[in-house]
Amino acid sequence: MPYGRRYAKPNETTRRALLGGTLLGTTGLLLGGTAAATTSLPSALAPTVASTDAWGARPPRSEPVVLAQPSDKIIVHHTATTNSRDYSRAHAFELARSIQDYHMDHNGWIDTGQHFTLSRGGHITEGRHHSLAAFDGGNSHVVSAHTSGQNRLAIGIENEGTYDSVAFPSTQYDKLVELCVALCASYGIDPYEIYGHRDFNATACPGDRLYALLGELRADVAASVGGDPTGVSWPLLRPGDENERVRMLQHLLNEHGAALTTDGIYGPATESAVSDFQRSTGAIVDGLAGNQTWNQAVRNRENGDSGSAVRAVQHRLGTTVDGIFGPVTESAVRNFQNGRGLRVDGVVDARTWDELLG
């Protein structure tokens, strides 16, 4: 079985984890823990999710780590397995067990890699243990293993099938919309923060046909939860460039462990740092700062944060560059967001980063 063959690194200690938020019953969000046979979301838009107990999961090899911080994006995958014509719930449970077996026995992981699995018949199962309980508890999420460099930040959804050239089934698509609506509503995730696996790692996942649907998926989710469905578009920087975008890139790379002079010059040291960062996150290693590099490099920054990424924000906004995100920086961010027609919340998210680079 090819489950997990798209993951860039088998060592879970290098992977990022998902984080979760409080689920409000009035908005149709995921409720209930792993002890329940199924978990019903309390609205017409909310799908039913079968827990690990319901589909007969093995115990995890060790207890999954839970982090007390919300996720900020959703990453869509395909399982790269046979496009089964068995649309039954029993088949969905068998799929969930097969994936767990592969991830634990072949990849050496502690449990299923993703948080949710969606079968071709439209049945949703909980992936890694405690994912539903973490959602129900609020402001926490389970450390997982679905996208190198992003597992501390993103919810992972695996969709049964291979969608390089085969169309994504309408039943499966409708359930994917419902699940993304529930997750976006609970976490406050903007629809533009729905991505494909290839937006971060060197992979073809989730297949050309499913990846081509992500714009429609964002729009359909936005129709229910509001927000901006337009995907983020990053600039392409390359050796020889000299500008403020390069300076911001250098600050961001320093945030991830580089030691660059933030001079705005894309020279050999910056190219080498980009390549090293790409290699460490499972991205395509080409020394060019494009889509995957920016997606991996940016992190939400807000009042109380500090570091080189905050310096990048401060430099761009013309405030004191001390690397401390305090009230003055927050006010400057809010003013910038207001002037650019963005959501004014003082948080430098992907959309605000994108505008700062504009």
Side-chain angles (χ1 to χ4, degrees), residues 18 25 28 40 51 56 86 91 105 114 124 141 177 181 199 244 249 254 269 271 292 301 322 330 337 346 353:
L18 298 186
S40 297
S51 71
D86 186 343
H91 169 75
D105 299 337
Q114 69 274 11
I124 305 171
H141 214 137
V177 172
V181 164
D199 289 320
E244 287 304 305
L249 172 66
N254 285 347
E271 181 180 5
Q292 290 183 355
R301 288 294 177 261
D322 59 6
E330 181 179 3
Q337 290 171 328
W353 279 114

mmCIF file of all heavy atoms in Angstrom, residues 18 25 28 40 51 56 86 91 105 114 124 141 177 181 199 244 249 254 269 271 292 301 322 330 337 346 353:
data_model
loop_
_atom_site.group_PDB
_atom_site.id
_atom_site.type_symbol
_atom_site.label_atom_id
_atom_site.label_comp_id
_atom_site.label_asym_id
_atom_site.label_seq_id
_atom_site.Cartn_x
_atom_site.Cartn_y
_atom_site.Cartn_z
ATOM 1 N N LEU A 18 -0.478 19.940 14.588
ATOM 2 C CA LEU A 18 -1.679 20.736 14.477
ATOM 3 C C LEU A 18 -2.061 21.290 15.831
ATOM 4 O O LEU A 18 -1.809 20.716 16.854
ATOM 5 C CB LEU A 18 -2.837 19.853 13.995
ATOM 6 C CG LEU A 18 -2.621 19.259 12.632
ATOM 7 C CD1 LEU A 18 -3.869 18.537 12.215
ATOM 8 C CD2 LEU A 18 -2.295 20.337 11.661
ATOM 9 N N GLY A 25 -20.926 24.867 19.820
ATOM 10 C CA GLY A 25 -22.040 24.082 19.332
ATOM 11 C C GLY A 25 -22.971 24.853 18.422
ATOM 12 O O GLY A 25 -23.652 24.289 17.589
ATOM 13 N N GLY A 28 -21.909 24.603 14.469
ATOM 14 C CA GLY A 28 -21.812 23.354 13.736
ATOM 15 C C GLY A 28 -20.414 22.803 13.685
ATOM 16 O O GLY A 28 -19.936 22.394 12.642
ATOM 17 N N SER A 40 -21.371 13.726 15.911
ATOM 18 C CA SER A 40 -22.208 14.511 15.014
ATOM 19 C C SER A 40 -22.019 15.990 15.279
ATOM 20 O O SER A 40 -22.046 16.422 16.434
ATOM 21 C CB SER A 40 -23.686 14.142 15.201
ATOM 22 O OG SER A 40 -23.896 12.795 14.858
ATOM 23 N N SER A 51 -15.157 8.117 15.192
ATOM 24 C CA SER A 51 -13.975 8.194 16.042
ATOM 25 C C SER A 51 -13.053 6.995 15.824
ATOM 26 O O SER A 51 -13.407 6.007 15.181
ATOM 27 C CB SER A 51 -14.398 8.244 17.504
ATOM 28 O OG SER A 51 -14.903 6.978 17.908
ATOM 29 N N GLY A 56 -12.210 0.967 15.005
ATOM 30 C CA GLY A 56 -11.359 -0.105 15.509
ATOM 31 C C GLY A 56 -9.877 0.157 15.384
ATOM 32 O O GLY A 56 -9.100 -0.731 15.006
ATOM 33 N N ASP A 86 -16.151 0.959 -3.811
ATOM 34 C CA ASP A 86 -16.881 0.556 -2.612
ATOM 35 C C ASP A 86 -17.084 1.815 -1.770
ATOM 36 O O ASP A 86 -16.140 2.345 -1.185
ATOM 37 C CB ASP A 86 -16.084 -0.487 -1.825
ATOM 38 C CG ASP A 86 -16.862 -1.046 -0.635
ATOM 39 O OD1 ASP A 86 -17.862 -0.416 -0.230
ATOM 40 O OD2 ASP A 86 -16.448 -2.089 -0.096
ATOM 41 N N HIS A 91 -16.169 0.019 4.247
ATOM 42 C CA HIS A 91 -14.936 0.220 3.486
ATOM 43 C C HIS A 91 -14.143 1.395 4.051
ATOM 44 O O HIS A 91 -12.905 1.340 4.134
ATOM 45 C CB HIS A 91 -15.240 0.469 2.016
ATOM 46 C CG HIS A 91 -14.038 0.932 1.238
ATOM 47 N ND1 HIS A 91 -13.022 0.082 0.868
ATOM 48 C CD2 HIS A 91 -13.688 2.161 0.795
ATOM 49 C CE1 HIS A 91 -12.098 0.758 0.215
ATOM 50 N NE2 HIS A 91 -12.477 2.032 0.169
ATOM 51 N N ASP A 105 3.488 0.732 10.891
ATOM 52 C CA ASP A 105 4.367 -0.407 10.633
ATOM 53 C C ASP A 105 5.405 -0.128 9.552
ATOM 54 O O ASP A 105 6.514 -0.675 9.600
ATOM 55 C CB ASP A 105 3.536 -1.631 10.234
ATOM 56 C CG ASP A 105 2.566 -2.054 11.326
ATOM 57 O OD1 ASP A 105 2.822 -1.725 12.505
ATOM 58 O OD2 ASP A 105 1.551 -2.700 11.010
ATOM 59 N N GLN A 114 -2.487 11.761 9.653
ATOM 60 C CA GLN A 114 -3.379 12.905 9.478
ATOM 61 C C GLN A 114 -4.441 12.947 10.572
ATOM 62 O O GLN A 114 -4.614 12.007 11.331
ATOM 63 C CB GLN A 114 -4.051 12.863 8.105
ATOM 64 C CG GLN A 114 -5.057 11.739 7.914
ATOM 65 C CD GLN A 114 -4.430 10.440 7.452
ATOM 66 O OE1 GLN A 114 -3.220 10.283 7.447
ATOM 67 N NE2 GLN A 114 -5.274 9.487 7.053
ATOM 68 N N ILE A 124 -16.312 10.198 6.841
ATOM 69 C CA ILE A 124 -15.170 10.841 7.485
ATOM 70 C C ILE A 124 -14.803 10.076 8.750
ATOM 71 O O ILE A 124 -15.667 9.775 9.577
ATOM 72 C CB ILE A 124 -15.480 12.298 7.845
ATOM 73 C CG1 ILE A 124 -15.950 13.075 6.614
ATOM 74 C CG2 ILE A 124 -14.252 12.983 8.448
ATOM 75 C CD1 ILE A 124 -16.479 14.459 6.934
ATOM 76 N N HIS A 141 -4.612 21.068 19.843
ATOM 77 C CA HIS A 141 -4.637 20.148 18.715
ATOM 78 C C HIS A 141 -3.522 19.129 18.847
ATOM 79 O O HIS A 141 -2.580 19.326 19.588
ATOM 80 C CB HIS A 141 -4.534 20.916 17.391
ATOM 81 C CG HIS A 141 -5.309 20.272 16.281
ATOM 82 N ND1 HIS A 141 -6.083 20.975 15.405
ATOM 83 C CD2 HIS A 141 -5.424 18.982 15.914
ATOM 84 C CE1 HIS A 141 -6.650 20.160 14.528
ATOM 85 N NE2 HIS A 141 -6.250 18.939 14.836
ATOM 86 N N VAL A 177 -16.151 19.930 1.636
ATOM 87 C CA VAL A 177 -16.625 21.293 1.900
ATOM 88 C C VAL A 177 -17.201 21.380 3.310
ATOM 89 O O VAL A 177 -16.868 22.293 4.080
ATOM 90 C CB VAL A 177 -17.682 21.729 0.864
ATOM 91 C CG1 VAL A 177 -18.310 23.065 1.276
ATOM 92 C CG2 VAL A 177 -17.066 21.851 -0.522
ATOM 93 N N VAL A 181 -15.748 23.717 6.234
ATOM 94 C CA VAL A 181 -16.604 24.751 6.818
ATOM 95 C C VAL A 181 -16.577 24.660 8.340
ATOM 96 O O VAL A 181 -16.408 25.665 9.053
ATOM 97 C CB VAL A 181 -18.048 24.627 6.286
ATOM 98 C CG1 VAL A 181 -19.026 25.416 7.158
ATOM 99 C CG2 VAL A 181 -18.134 25.114 4.844
ATOM 100 N N ASP A 199 1.786 22.691 -1.930
ATOM 101 C CA ASP A 199 2.099 24.081 -1.616
ATOM 102 C C ASP A 199 3.223 24.194 -0.587
ATOM 103 O O ASP A 199 3.748 25.294 -0.361
ATOM 104 C CB ASP A 199 0.860 24.811 -1.088
ATOM 105 C CG ASP A 199 -0.176 25.057 -2.170
ATOM 106 O OD1 ASP A 199 0.221 25.390 -3.301
ATOM 107 O OD2 ASP A 199 -1.383 24.919 -1.885
ATOM 108 N N GLU A 244 13.445 45.286 -0.901
ATOM 109 C CA GLU A 244 12.922 45.093 0.449
ATOM 110 C C GLU A 244 12.316 43.707 0.647
ATOM 111 O O GLU A 244 12.280 43.184 1.762
ATOM 112 C CB GLU A 244 11.884 46.172 0.765
ATOM 113 C CG GLU A 244 12.495 47.547 0.996
ATOM 114 C CD GLU A 244 13.545 47.527 2.095
ATOM 115 O OE1 GLU A 244 13.223 47.088 3.221
ATOM 116 O OE2 GLU A 244 14.691 47.924 1.831
ATOM 117 N N LEU A 249 12.673 38.433 3.416
ATOM 118 C CA LEU A 249 13.013 37.015 3.314
ATOM 119 C C LEU A 249 14.172 36.674 4.248
ATOM 120 O O LEU A 249 14.139 35.653 4.949
ATOM 121 C CB LEU A 249 13.380 36.674 1.870
ATOM 122 C CG LEU A 249 13.941 35.269 1.624
ATOM 123 C CD1 LEU A 249 12.877 34.209 1.894
ATOM 124 C CD2 LEU A 249 14.467 35.146 0.191
ATOM 125 N N ASN A 254 16.216 34.021 9.076
ATOM 126 C CA ASN A 254 16.888 34.105 10.377
ATOM 127 C C ASN A 254 15.985 33.590 11.491
ATOM 128 O O ASN A 254 16.452 32.991 12.465
ATOM 129 C CB ASN A 254 17.307 35.545 10.657
ATOM 130 C CG ASN A 254 18.512 35.975 9.841
ATOM 131 O OD1 ASN A 254 19.194 35.140 9.234
ATOM 132 N ND2 ASN A 254 18.772 37.275 9.797
ATOM 133 N N ALA A 269 25.115 33.824 0.093
ATOM 134 C CA ALA A 269 24.744 33.406 1.445
ATOM 135 C C ALA A 269 23.235 33.228 1.564
ATOM 136 O O ALA A 269 22.758 32.260 2.181
ATOM 137 C CB ALA A 269 25.234 34.432 2.463
ATOM 138 N N GLU A 271 21.149 32.600 -0.966
ATOM 139 C CA GLU A 271 20.788 31.440 -1.781
ATOM 140 C C GLU A 271 21.052 30.145 -1.021
ATOM 141 O O GLU A 271 20.228 29.217 -1.037
ATOM 142 C CB GLU A 271 21.559 31.446 -3.093
ATOM 143 C CG GLU A 271 21.215 30.282 -4.006
ATOM 144 C CD GLU A 271 21.999 30.290 -5.311
ATOM 145 O OE1 GLU A 271 22.890 31.153 -5.458
ATOM 146 O OE2 GLU A 271 21.720 29.435 -6.165
ATOM 147 N N GLN A 292 6.552 27.530 -2.221
ATOM 148 C CA GLN A 292 6.792 26.646 -1.087
ATOM 149 C C GLN A 292 7.642 27.311 -0.015
ATOM 150 O O GLN A 292 7.388 27.158 1.184
ATOM 151 C CB GLN A 292 7.459 25.352 -1.563
ATOM 152 C CG GLN A 292 6.558 24.441 -2.375
ATOM 153 C CD GLN A 292 7.258 23.145 -2.766
ATOM 154 O OE1 GLN A 292 8.446 22.957 -2.506
ATOM 155 N NE2 GLN A 292 6.517 22.250 -3.380
ATOM 156 N N ARG A 301 2.170 36.256 13.361
ATOM 157 C CA ARG A 301 2.831 37.012 14.417
ATOM 158 C C ARG A 301 1.849 38.040 14.972
ATOM 159 O O ARG A 301 1.120 38.676 14.216
ATOM 160 C CB ARG A 301 4.099 37.701 13.888
ATOM 161 C CG ARG A 301 5.251 36.718 13.615
ATOM 162 C CD ARG A 301 5.729 36.104 14.920
ATOM 163 N NE ARG A 301 6.774 35.098 14.741
ATOM 164 C CZ ARG A 301 6.554 33.790 14.725
ATOM 165 N NH1 ARG A 301 5.327 33.321 14.855
ATOM 166 N NH2 ARG A 301 7.553 32.937 14.590
ATOM 167 N N ASP A 322 12.899 46.582 16.933
ATOM 168 C CA ASP A 322 13.496 45.968 18.122
ATOM 169 C C ASP A 322 13.142 44.494 18.261
ATOM 170 O O ASP A 322 13.581 43.830 19.191
ATOM 171 C CB ASP A 322 13.084 46.726 19.378
ATOM 172 C CG ASP A 322 11.567 46.767 19.600
ATOM 173 O OD1 ASP A 322 10.839 46.102 18.822
ATOM 174 O OD2 ASP A 322 11.121 47.462 20.536
ATOM 175 N N GLU A 330 1.519 46.598 17.018
ATOM 176 C CA GLU A 330 0.153 46.161 16.738
ATOM 177 C C GLU A 330 -0.659 47.284 16.102
ATOM 178 O O GLU A 330 -1.429 47.061 15.153
ATOM 179 C CB GLU A 330 -0.539 45.689 18.009
ATOM 180 C CG GLU A 330 -1.967 45.206 17.749
ATOM 181 C CD GLU A 330 -2.672 44.697 18.993
ATOM 182 O OE1 GLU A 330 -2.074 44.764 20.085
ATOM 183 O OE2 GLU A 330 -3.822 44.233 18.865
ATOM 184 N N GLN A 337 -3.407 47.119 7.836
ATOM 185 C CA GLN A 337 -4.513 46.259 7.414
ATOM 186 C C GLN A 337 -5.718 47.089 6.975
ATOM 187 O O GLN A 337 -6.350 46.797 5.959
ATOM 188 C CB GLN A 337 -4.905 45.312 8.550
ATOM 189 C CG GLN A 337 -3.872 44.242 8.842
ATOM 190 C CD GLN A 337 -4.171 43.449 10.112
ATOM 191 O OE1 GLN A 337 -4.744 43.990 11.065
ATOM 192 N NE2 GLN A 337 -3.797 42.178 10.121
ATOM 193 N N GLY A 346 -4.794 43.086 13.878
ATOM 194 C CA GLY A 346 -3.456 43.239 14.436
ATOM 195 C C GLY A 346 -2.591 42.005 14.354
ATOM 196 O O GLY A 346 -1.460 42.006 14.848
ATOM 197 N N TRP A 353 1.078 39.174 5.508
ATOM 198 C CA TRP A 353 2.445 39.005 5.002
ATOM 199 C C TRP A 353 2.503 39.261 3.490
ATOM 200 O O TRP A 353 3.407 39.939 2.985
ATOM 201 C CB TRP A 353 2.959 37.589 5.282
ATOM 202 C CG TRP A 353 3.481 37.336 6.658
ATOM 203 C CD1 TRP A 353 2.960 36.522 7.612
ATOM 204 C CD2 TRP A 353 4.667 37.898 7.249
ATOM 205 N NE1 TRP A 353 3.730 36.531 8.741
ATOM 206 C CE2 TRP A 353 4.795 37.359 8.543
ATOM 207 C CE3 TRP A 353 5.649 38.786 6.797
ATOM 208 C CZ2 TRP A 353 5.840 37.692 9.397
ATOM 209 C CZ3 TRP A 353 6.701 39.122 7.652
ATOM 210 C CH2 TRP A 353 6.775 38.569 8.927
#
